[in-house]
Amino acid sequence: MIETRSESLLLRPCDVSPSRSDLEVVGVFNPAVAIGNNGLTMLARVAERPLESRADWTPLPRWSSSGAIEVDWVRNQDLTLIDARVVAIKDSGDLRLTSVSHLQVLRSSNITGESWDFVRTILPEGPWEEYGIEDPRITKIDDTYWVTYVAVSRSGAATALMSSTDMVNFQRHGIIFPSENKDVVLFPEMFSDGYAALHRPNPHSRFKAPQIWLARSLDMIHWGRHQLVLSGMHPWEGDRVGSGTPPILCDEGWLTLYHGSTRPNSTGTVGCYSAGALLLDRDQPGRVLARSSQPIMQPSTDYELHGFVPNVVFPTAMLDRDEELHVFYGAADTYIAAARFLKQSVLDSLQLKDSCKPRQ
């Protein structure tokens, strides 16, 4: 890891309210953050589950077509635990989430995000968001904020898009990457051949190490011209890799953080999630110039090591503050935290793609 200039815990489950009085918040995490005229705006993922408990039964919440949460109670003996987040129904093999997520809009007048005020709630809508909406990322292009987020349903995890000019009112644009695909981040400008996005296909068949891909679009809705960008090649990214923060432009090229996870040690657990950095070519964003060989962030604090899903740091927003990078991330699928790094120290930690030698 590189040296952290500061790190802080920003939000805990007790700091936000559930969408209904019969639900409890089990996590507020994986935030999207943008700079506005009056400070910072955050879209926070809020995961909640029923307060009611029944011996030997598991509640599986979902959003109904009427816009209300319904709970399916299933006997424990009819379920297989995949991990803390997911169970499989034995008869069908179908997966279900043990919690359901929505988004909350928060504002901070302090540029470091030390305190946050509630603005509004964004709830799931329609059949493609039946099991919740998750893990937003914000990219501002011209005067519009574009938000990618994961829409989860019985058809799997897909990526949807919405936009806003004020980060209060949002227009939904539907699914832009079908399941299984998530961790989509947009580049903050249009290239000569269109817009660009990094995305994470999540195939059931593993022919190779987990991968991050790049796609192009002329209208932000229809995406194609896919190309492979990165494959997990180190043990800390051996089970999963995925885009983390929307890229920022620096003198060297496009800088972004991504997450990687190790393989789990036992059934019913999740591997350790760490964060690395990636440098992409200024004009050809599918071309890797340098990348992390070792994580720049690993779980180390109590709130990163212990929670709903232990041993997780999951970066989802990064602000360019001159010589510093302000990184916002989910910790243990339970908390929102922030860390500050010297930008040059992150760049110096990377290894050139071709030579695999440390940057000079």
Side-chain angles (χ1 to χ4, degrees), residues 41 43 105 107 119-122 144-147 162-173:
T41 298
L43 287 180
V105 183
R107 287 263 168 81
V119 176
R120 61 160 297 188
T121 296
I122 302 175
T144 301
Y145 297 94
W146 296 93
V147 180
M162 59 185 175
S163 62
S164 176
T165 57
D166 58 8
M167 290 303 295
V168 176
N169 303 291
F170 295 86
Q171 178 183 359
R172 276 176 160 92
H173 302 284

Side-chain angles (χ1 to χ4, degrees), residues 87-102:
V87 295
I89 298 174
K90 289 181 179 179
D91 286 347
S92 64
D94 293 342
L95 301 182
R96 290 290 301 269
L97 301 180
T98 58
S99 63
V100 65
S101 295
H102 68 274

Side-chain angles (χ1 to χ4, degrees), residues 187 189-198 212-216 225 227-230 247-256 278-290 353-354:
F187 286 76
E189 66 177 48
M190 189 173 188
F191 295 87
S192 60
D193 56 352
Y195 299 102
L198 297 172
I212 295 174
W213 286 61
L214 182 128
R216 304 277 192 167
R225 290 177 286 161
Q227 66 181 98
L228 173 64
V229 174
L230 175 147
I248 63 171
L249 186 60
C250 53
D251 292 340
E252 291 83 352
W254 293 104
L255 180 64
T256 181
L278 180 65
L279 185 67
L280 303 171
D281 186 85
R282 169 65 177 84
D283 300 312
Q284 302 177 58
R287 178 172 171 253
V288 176
L289 301 179
K353 178 179 182 292
D354 296 330

Side-chain angles (χ1 to χ4, degrees), residues 120-251:
R120 61 160 297 188
T121 296
I122 302 175
L123 298 177
E125 292 181 359
W128 307 116
E129 301 177 2
E130 179 184 16
Y131 296 163
I133 52 178
E134 307 175 351
D135 302 350
R137 271 78 160 189
I138 300 172
T139 299
K140 188 178 183 182
I141 303 177
D142 298 326
D143 295 326
T144 301
Y145 297 94
W146 296 93
V147 180
T148 59
Y149 64 96
V150 179
V152 190
S153 70
R154 63 189 67 197
S155 296
T159 294
L161 180 71
M162 59 185 175
S163 62
S164 176
T165 57
D166 58 8
M167 290 303 295
V168 176
N169 303 291
F170 295 86
Q171 178 183 359
R172 276 176 160 92
H173 302 284
I175 302 296
I176 57 172
F177 286 87
S179 59
E180 287 279 328
N181 202 312
K182 57 199 310 188
D183 297 322
V184 174
V185 300
L186 305 174
F187 286 76
E189 66 177 48
M190 189 173 188
F191 295 87
S192 60
D193 56 352
Y195 299 102
L198 297 172
H199 64 99
R200 169 194 154 193
N202 189 28
H204 180 72
S205 300
R206 286 284 183 92
F207 288 92
K208 196 173 174 60
Q211 299 172 339
I212 295 174
W213 286 61
L214 182 128
R216 304 277 192 167
S217 174
L218 295 177
D219 61 2
M220 293 289 236
I221 307 299
H222 305 91
W223 293 86
R225 290 177 286 161
H226 302 274
Q227 66 181 98
L228 173 64
V229 174
L230 175 147
S231 293
M233 59 184 295
H234 304 290
W236 63 272
E237 53 187 16
D239 190 53
R240 301 179 187 184
V241 295
S243 301
T245 63
I248 63 171
L249 186 60
C250 53
D251 292 340

